[in-house]
Amino acid sequence: MPLIKNDRFIDDPWTHVGLEDSLPSSGDIIVPYARLLKEWDALTRHDGRLGVVFTNIDRVEALSLFLPRLALIALPFPSFTDGRAYSLARQIRETGFAGELRASGNVLPDQLQFMRQVGFDAFEVTERFAPEVWLGASRRMSLAYQRGLYRPAGEAEVWSERHRDAEPWLEQPHAG
Amino acid sequence: MYRYDEFDYQFVRDRTAQFADQARRRLAGELTEDEFRPLRLMNGLYLQLHAYMLRIAIPYGTLSSRQMRQLAMIARRWDKNYGHFTTRQNIQFNWIKLEDTPEILAALADVEMHAIQTSGNCIRNVTTDQWAGAAADEIADPRPVAELIRQWSSLHPEFSYLPRKFKIAVTGAPNDRAAVKVHDIGLRLHKNDKGEAGWEVIVGGGLGRTPLIGVTVREFLPQHELIAYLEAIMRVYNLYGRRDNKYKARIKILVHELGPEKFRAEVEAEYARRPKQETEVEERELARIAAYFAPPQFERLPRWSPRFEEARLANPAFARWVRTNVAAHFADGYAIANISLKPEGGIPGDATSEQMELVADLAERHSFSEIRVSHAQNLVLPHVKRDDLFDLWQALSGAGLAASNLGLAGDIIACPGLDYCTLATARSIPVAQAISRKFADYDRQQDIGPLKINISGCINACGHHHVGHIGILGLDKKGEEYYQITLGGSSATSASIGQIIGPGFAGHDVPDAIEKILDTYLKHRQPGEEFLAAYRRLGAQPFKEALYAAH
């Protein structure tokens, strides 16, 4: 599956390892959250970076213990109209997580800009749409009213622009 | 009135270009209808029974003369020369072609308007008191805050794919004319012991299948915390609102299922957990917006207008219109003039291009070019000199716009119903028309007094039948339309949900049933007692007897 990261299509260096799959001896792996809970000790000794697929029904607080060791969190969109992952993404970024935040599942071009604005920086996408559609859709709006968004496409934040001499809003750590 | 700056203009231009591209990809088959639907809905475009319907946002119901003229132009050029003002202070056009929509959106952008988020599972157009900035009982004009919320909620990346639609209403007056207790979030401005103004935050009210009165989650929220607090509420809803059943997906169900205490705790925990950003920018932005809503340059006038008083004495029809349609203004010598879009036998909320243009002209001449749309589907000229009221009334009379029935039996709220809507189970408009004809006599309406008759053509309750003093709900029983009647609803400060009075009626029997209900009221009322008060005192029993005793 093609992967977009930081505005480019790249080869995915990560391997998805399912609940029942055997752990590879090394390499960067993404495991389901259930496996993280079950095999945390073994996983902390894994030779390679560790990522998790976090589901929409668990609370972000549950991740806090694992966060320092995690380099990637994938949030699946079960359907593109299910918007829970937008809030989860922002909550995860608000904890200070600076690793890769990946959108997976039902990811479509017209939602890409919102996903980037809440802190996603990597997208597992389908081949149904041409690369220029993907990259174009993620920068359709040149500005946003809300403050404190991630703005990798350089969108202006209207309120901040209007009141440039006001207190600067503390920059959030930039996504991985 | 608020005016767009370069950023607001750029925002709607970007959005119009984005939608034009999405529509092109849909027409070229690159997007499926399933993928396109949420995108077009977030731009106000519905696929109805006969054509596309485009719903245009009228933020907090405020329009300029120039904007009204552009709406008239759109109706003439791309629709059938009329538009329909809705219960959410919006306007919708019912006969739109998909391929014309980018051009229409561009025409709207020219006059600082758009159709963003008038539909879809996102934060909808924010509504408020139609008399904001003019009413004598107001603490402060709620429109600056409504505009702040409009901007904040526009294309909010976190809250554009909510479990269900989300409606916010704001009031700055103690007499609630914005129905804040039956919205997903209602905000009521009030003052604390120290005389500071702040917001009561009410969550989880709503109509539809499960009518509920909202619960207060914060008694007094300081102004500068408002946006951050709204974000906490929205986040709790976005994460935990039900997505398994669209009829249980509104925030009211979440509040109800968790219980108000648990819901409040979730919101407060989320609010406490989030990084606190400096709110100085929001405060400055609110001040910037508020400057646009400074009161117009009112002349210093005496309270007493001889010209007005003479006209009133000489002309009983004018006097009647004044009694029903004119409300108190805070500035001496001025009045609020309400234009009823409910002529005898008419379609509630409809206006022709010519009527819109006349209202635009009259607003220019008499009301600082300002017009309001009310959630009762009427128009308002908020700042009219009492000296000018007679001229205004004469001009309105010549265009079928002088119905003297504001807040009376003829001022019926009705959704478009089965004549237009794919969701409807029965027609609303013909029932409204029949009742309007039956009670056309103004003296009779005056005698009956303040009355809200609300009609919905299906259980989704767009006609707000639950909060009508008399509510009428159109249903389908084995292919036949029939109508269930509820009594005792209200969306005012002491809000209540109407109770079903008994078995439903066929459409042609509804006007007689309403008459029986009103005759019962007239028979039992105490001096000066309005219908709603009498119903609350008497209970359902006498009305039941009148309706069903002979059956």
Side-chain angles (χ1 to χ4, degrees), chain A residues 59, chain B residues 236 255 257-268:
Chain A
R59 290 185 175 234
Chain B
V236 167
V255 174
E257 287 184 352
L258 285 179
E261 284 312 315
K262 181 86 170 45
F263 177 80
R264 184 180 298 122
E266 289 280 358
V267 169
E268 292 292 342

Side-chain angles (χ1 to χ4, degrees), chain A residues 87 110 128 142 145 147 169, chain B residues 8 14 25 35 277-278:
Chain A
S87 284
D110 292 285
R128 233 187 83 206
S142 63
Y145 285 105
R147 294 205 298 144
W169 154 241
Chain B
D8 299 303
D14 283 3
R25 280 154 50 214
E35 287 164 354
Q277 69 183 59
E278 292 293 328

Side-chain angles (χ1 to χ4, degrees), chain B residues 418-438:
Chain B
L418 199 51
D419 291 298
Y420 294 97
C421 179
T422 48
L423 300 173
T425 43
R427 290 170 300 165
S428 313
I429 291 169
V431 177
Q433 289 172 311
I435 297 171
S436 164
R437 287 195 196 96
K438 181 147 201 119

Side-chain angles (χ1 to χ4, degrees), chain B residues 223-489:
Chain B
Q223 171 62 55
H224 67 94
E225 294 186 56
L226 184 62
I227 295 296
Y229 197 79
L230 290 179
E231 293 217 341
I233 297 172
M234 298 307 303
R235 182 173 288 176
V236 167
Y237 172 54
N238 192 36
L239 285 171
Y240 309 124
R242 285 180 62 172
R243 292 175 187 265
D244 59 325
N245 178 342
K246 74 180 264 200
Y247 301 116
K248 296 188 185 299
R250 295 289 287 271
I251 195 172
K252 63 190 170 188
I253 303 293
L254 179 66
V255 174
H256 188 73
E257 287 184 352
L258 285 179
E261 284 312 315
K262 181 86 170 45
F263 177 80
R264 184 180 298 122
E266 289 280 358
V267 169
E268 292 292 342
E270 185 59 42
Y271 187 56
R273 182 163 50 229
R274 294 199 63 197
K276 287 285 167 287
Q277 69 183 59
E278 292 293 328
T279 58
E280 191 185 347
V281 166
E282 279 82 349
E283 288 168 61
R284 287 189 182 207
E285 179 60 15
L286 185 63
R288 184 191 75 90
I289 293 168
Y292 289 106
F293 291 97
Q297 292 292 315
F298 294 119
E299 289 174 40
R300 288 180 60 89
L301 296 171
R303 204 170 289 178
W304 178 264
S305 159
R307 189 174 141 66
F308 166 71
E309 299 300 339
E310 280 161 27
R312 194 151 69 144
L313 281 174
N315 193 321
F318 173 58
R320 188 167 52 213
W321 180 77
V322 169
R323 202 156 53 231
T324 52
N325 288 42
V326 173
H329 197 284
F330 72 83
D332 285 348
Y334 285 84
I336 300 171
N338 295 280
I339 301 170
S340 168
L341 294 180
K342 319 287 175 68
E344 177 187 341
I347 297 174
D350 274 13
T352 64
S353 293
E354 291 72 29
Q355 288 177 322
M356 290 185 227
E357 280 160 355
L358 177 75
V359 171
D361 290 346
L362 292 171
E364 220 156 58
R365 209 174 309 151
H366 298 299
S367 183
F368 299 93
S369 298
E370 214 179 303
I371 302 153
R372 308 289 176 77
V373 182
S374 78
H375 81 266
Q377 303 175 284
N378 294 313
L379 300 176
V380 181
L381 299 185
H383 312 295
V384 182
K385 278 188 215 168
R386 298 183 88 80
D387 285 347
D388 294 351
L389 282 170
F390 186 63
D391 292 347
L392 173 67
W393 173 77
Q394 283 183 307
L396 291 172
S397 298
L401 288 169
S404 303
N405 58 9
L406 199 90
L408 301 180
D411 188 6
I412 299 165
I413 291 177
C415 71
L418 199 51
D419 291 298
Y420 294 97
C421 179
T422 48
L423 300 173
T425 43
R427 290 170 300 165
S428 313
I429 291 169
V431 177
Q433 289 172 311
I435 297 171
S436 164
R437 287 195 196 96
K438 181 147 201 119
F439 295 94
D441 182 61
Y442 285 137
D443 292 331
R444 191 174 179 201
Q445 290 192 48
Q446 286 272 306
D447 183 35
I448 294 165
L451 186 68
K452 290 191 190 306
I453 301 178
N454 294 12
I455 308 175
S456 303
C458 79
I459 198 154
N460 293 306
C462 294
H464 303 172
H465 64 277
H466 300 293
V467 291
H469 301 167
I470 298 176
I472 299 168
L473 167 62
L475 295 165
D476 175 283
K477 191 160 72 177
K478 298 185 189 111
E480 299 281 322
E481 292 168 307
Y482 81 108
Y483 296 84
Q484 204 171 61
I485 295 180
T486 54
L487 297 181

Side-chain angles (χ1 to χ4, degrees), chain B residues 210-221:
Chain B
T210 318
L212 287 168
I213 303 293
V215 299
T216 300
V217 292
R218 268 286 187 105
E219 280 290 344
F220 189 86
L221 184 72

Side-chain angles (χ1 to χ4, degrees), chain A residues 17-21 23 31-39 43:
Chain A
V17 178
L19 212 51
E20 308 295 336
D21 300 343
L23 277 184
V31 301
Y33 179 59
R35 188 153 185 177
L36 199 71
L37 294 178
K38 221 163 52 186
E39 299 174 39
L43 288 168

